[in-house]
Amino acid sequence: MYYYCSYFDHRYLPRGLALYRSLKQHCPEFKWWVLCLSKTCYDVLSELALPDIHLIALEEFERGDEALLTAKQNRTLVEYYFTCTPSLPLFIFRNYREVDLITYLDSDLFFYSSVEPIYEELGEQSVGIIEHRFSPERLDLKVFGIYNVGWESFRRDENGLSCLQWWRERCIEWCYDRPEGDRFADQKYLDDWPTRFPGVVVLQNKGANVAHWNTNNYQIYGDGNRVWIDEKPLIFFHFHGFNHYKQEFEISGINPDFKVKRFSDRVIFRDIYAPYLQTLREIAKEVSPLLPEVSIQSTIRGIAIPAISANNS
């Protein structure tokens, strides 16, 4: 049994449900806690009553947490979401004694094969994190951090809990959506974890956390059954900055004139992006009766994503 947690509001709900569907396909035994950042999100997920999802209302999460509520008063909505990141695994450890290892997932991840290799690499270590692995032309993005918050695993032991508590305290102190010295949001605090805390492993599997900022590092190809990242199966792709406009793909943060130049790019569009887009469209149609406005509108990590209406086909 694997344990996961994520957060999102109703505007990001279709992406969260896409993540859920991919987990159901490639990780059949799991529990997933969702911190619902809006009442609409909580109500819709309650109505859907999907198996293996455990809902946390924002009011429940915040109750009695004066430090978090104070921080909420001096930052923007998205900055407050960032501030909540380390508090969510701690909340689950505090309230669910059966959880021995919790993995935080950004809601814009999508799985393509088994998660087992990641956990095999993590082994008995206390904390697992993944580098951005920026490609050479994207090294300017290092200002946002060496490691990506998209996947983080924490064990319920002294090292894991100490790391989480330290991270929470830093985010309460400062968590803003701008690079400033050695800080950026909740993310750049991870830069020195491998030396600051015992038991931290930097996960090396190339198939984990593939994203637009690192695809140029790899030969990416499909064999009809799966996508390969060099010699490793693609485990999950991070759809940060994913846009859909008139049935074409754009990746925000990259030159808007980005075109398919390599065989790898064609595979990315056909075998990675297209299935994700199709899943989002299916979900948008299914949840449209439950939402006043169905959209794939990002509120996470500063990305603006055009709406995908339920009528798109």
Side-chain angles (χ1 to χ4, degrees), residues 18-256:
L19 167 59
Y20 169 77
R21 286 193 181 184
S22 68
L23 276 175
K24 290 295 288 183
Q25 183 175 357
H26 299 292
C27 181
E29 290 189 318
F30 69 91
K31 290 183 180 179
W32 185 38
W33 281 269
V34 174
L35 170 58
C36 301
L37 295 171
S38 68
K39 185 178 184 300
T40 301
C41 178
Y42 186 91
D43 291 345
V44 170
L45 287 175
S46 296
E47 178 73 17
L48 292 174
L50 298 168
D52 305 315
I53 298 182
H54 302 261
L55 304 183
I56 304 170
L58 183 59
E59 295 80 3
E60 176 190 1
F61 177 73
E62 294 175 331
R63 188 176 299 126
D65 194 335
E66 295 303 323
L68 194 62
L69 289 170
T70 298
K72 189 176 185 179
Q73 303 308 309
N74 59 39
R75 50 205 69 178
T76 67
L77 184 63
V78 71
E79 289 168 346
Y80 178 63
Y81 291 173
F82 297 159
T83 304
C84 290
T85 310
S87 294
L88 180 55
L90 284 168
F91 177 91
I92 292 165
F93 277 143
R94 187 166 61 249
N95 290 282
Y96 300 92
R97 300 302 303 177
E98 73 273 19
V99 178
D100 58 338
L101 177 71
I102 187 73
T103 297
Y104 168 81
L105 303 175
D106 264 356
S107 310
D108 49 6
L109 308 185
F110 195 77
F111 289 82
Y112 292 83
S113 66
S114 172
V115 300
E116 290 289 343
I118 302 177
Y119 289 99
E120 290 172 2
E121 187 178 351
L122 178 63
E124 297 302 314
Q125 298 296 319
S126 301
V127 178
I129 56 178
I130 302 178
E131 291 183 73
H132 281 100
R133 304 172 188 150
F134 294 118
S135 54
E137 69 278 9
R138 295 280 69 191
L139 293 180
D140 58 305
L141 296 177
K142 277 193 174 182
V143 67
F144 300 110
I146 299 169
Y147 304 99
N148 182 245
V149 173
W151 169 296
E152 297 168 298
S153 295
F154 300 94
R155 196 172 299 281
R156 187 197 288 272
D157 61 17
E158 182 178 356
N159 296 330
L161 293 172
S162 295
C163 178
L164 270 174
Q165 187 59 42
W166 179 90
W167 189 27
R168 169 185 153 87
E169 291 170 359
R170 301 293 77 73
C171 286
I172 293 292
E173 292 170 356
W174 190 100
C175 191
Y176 298 98
D177 192 17
R178 62 178 184 267
E180 185 174 297
D182 59 355
R183 299 179 295 192
F184 167 68
D186 56 348
Q187 185 164 267
K188 200 166 172 58
Y189 289 122
L190 280 61
D191 278 9
D192 68 354
W193 282 12
T195 56
R196 180 180 292 274
F197 300 105
V200 175
V201 61
V202 179
L203 301 167
Q204 299 297 317
N205 192 301
K206 295 178 183 179
N209 209 44
V210 183
H212 70 75
W213 55 72
N214 61 34
T215 52
N216 285 349
N217 291 334
Y218 312 118
Q219 290 295 317
I220 301 176
Y221 59 97
D223 62 7
N225 296 312
R226 63 176 63 185
V227 178
W228 294 85
I229 311 298
D230 288 344
E231 75 286 358
K232 295 291 186 180
L234 172 62
I235 299 175
F236 69 90
F237 197 93
H238 195 156
F239 283 96
H240 176 100
F242 173 78
N243 288 337
H244 170 247
Y245 179 69
K246 294 182 179 178
Q247 301 187 13
E248 294 180 354
F249 298 94
E250 295 176 351
I251 308 173
S252 63
I254 293 182
N255 187 322

